Amino acid sequence: MQGTVDIKMGGPNESVSGYLQQQLGSVIPAFRGVLSLIVQQCLLSSMNPYIKPWRIEARRIPVAPALGSGNINGDANPAHIIYECLNNAAWGLGYAASEIDAASFQTAASTLASEQYGLSLLWEREQPLEEFIAEILRHIDGTLYVHPRTGRFVLKLARADYSLGSLLVLDPSNVIELESFSRPSEAELVNQVTVRYRDRGTDKEAAITVHDLAALELAGGVVSSVTVDYPGISNGALASRVALGDLQQLSVPLAKLTLIANRQASRLNIGEVFKFTWPELGIAQLVMRVVRVSYGTLTDGRVRLECVDDIFGMPAASYVAPTPTAWVSPLSA
């Protein structure tokens, strides 16, 4: 391809293309609200009489004023994506900045930047924005909720970012009822996880598979395998770390707990952790993460918590890397 192409970003002050006025007449729109490429009689195809499909690589990094730069090696910081979806008045949900807990978003953005956890994902307007936000949260193992006391949106990541000594302790002194406590059997555990992602280098679907060697040895082979799609991930290094994190959750018999406690548990929110002690079951200071919470009513102040074992921290080091291609281009200069 050879020639001139005008790029029109389609902003609210976009001007009418002079080239299109010459070709189509003066009474034409400025095509605001869409991104346009205006090809000015370029030379195409050269020795091939058939025009190949056009492919364009575009990048837009959200820059939330309250969060700073959101660029992570060419990908977008997921915390910035969620913030803009909530705050943008043109196409987002239109919440004011005062309705968003900027401190929690700053903490999450810093954590994701240190993990090099950037995403490249396309939002199509046919998809409800709430579903798009949920997809981002699924990628980063995060929770978005409205704080019951401040009324602001809070972004919380499931990470090992706490001190054991500062955690609330729930035990028979403040637990009214233990509704259920269970662990999955060995037959229910997963010993192989495959993560599918979109590799930016090749612009094709790629996959990486990780195994729990101890579980494989115990089961005598692959007895349970799970495939998870993460279309927002664009590189194999991050895909391998995410795969190991998923494997860590699925290959270990995580305890599940449902209890009813007194008002001491009302300080807990979704995604937060506490220490659980229950002598009758031989449990001492088991760290649990809140999955669902019900704060009770004015006439019934009991707090109901649904929780799971906390091992959601991503591995500090990755021992898995995608195998590079051995293909060498046969074309010389």
Side-chain angles (χ1 to χ4, degrees), residues 60-265:
R60 179 182 179 276
I61 304 293
V63 181
L67 305 182
S69 174
N71 193 332
I72 302 178
N73 297 329
D75 294 310
N77 192 311
H80 288 66
I81 299 176
I82 297 174
Y83 187 98
E84 188 177 36
C85 289
L86 294 173
N87 181 243
N88 190 286
W91 53 262
L93 298 178
Y95 289 100
S98 60
E99 298 178 272
I100 303 174
D101 188 338
S104 70
F105 277 79
Q106 289 171 350
T107 301
S110 177
T111 299
L112 294 166
S114 65
E115 295 174 350
Q116 296 294 290
Y117 206 135
L119 297 181
S120 290
L121 202 60
L122 178 66
W123 173 60
E124 299 175 322
R125 293 179 182 270
E126 292 78 7
Q127 180 188 26
L129 201 54
E130 293 82 359
E131 292 183 7
F132 178 71
I133 294 175
E135 180 69 3
I136 299 295
L137 294 171
R138 183 182 70 86
H139 275 69
I140 63 176
D141 233 338
T143 304
L144 181 69
Y145 63 90
V146 177
H147 198 285
R149 284 177 285 278
T150 65
R152 296 178 177 178
F153 283 97
V154 175
L155 178 60
K156 176 68 176 177
L157 301 179
R159 300 292 191 273
D161 54 358
Y162 50 83
S163 172
L164 289 175
S166 63
L167 298 182
L168 173 69
V169 178
L170 295 184
D171 54 27
S173 67
N174 48 21
V175 175
I176 300 173
E177 179 185 352
L178 180 62
E179 289 191 356
S180 65
F181 180 87
S182 63
R183 289 186 184 274
S185 65
E186 294 177 356
E188 299 176 84
L189 300 180
V190 171
N191 54 14
Q192 175 178 290
V193 171
T194 299
V195 164
R196 293 189 297 200
Y197 63 100
R198 187 79 180 183
D199 187 88
R200 177 183 292 129
T202 61
D203 195 29
K204 294 181 180 180
E205 297 290 340
I208 187 167
T209 300
V210 295
H211 307 85
D212 186 315
L213 299 181
L216 285 173
E217 183 69 21
L218 181 66
V222 177
V223 296
S224 182
S225 178
V226 171
T227 300
V228 189
D229 290 318
Y230 290 108
I233 294 178
S234 64
N235 63 86
L238 177 58
S240 67
R241 289 191 287 124
V242 172
L244 287 172
D246 286 354
L247 181 66
Q248 185 182 19
Q249 298 180 42
L250 298 172
S251 63
V252 176
L254 296 178
K256 296 182 180 180
L257 169 68
T258 302
L259 59 82
I260 297 176
N262 60 20
R263 297 305 298 174
Q264 291 185 26

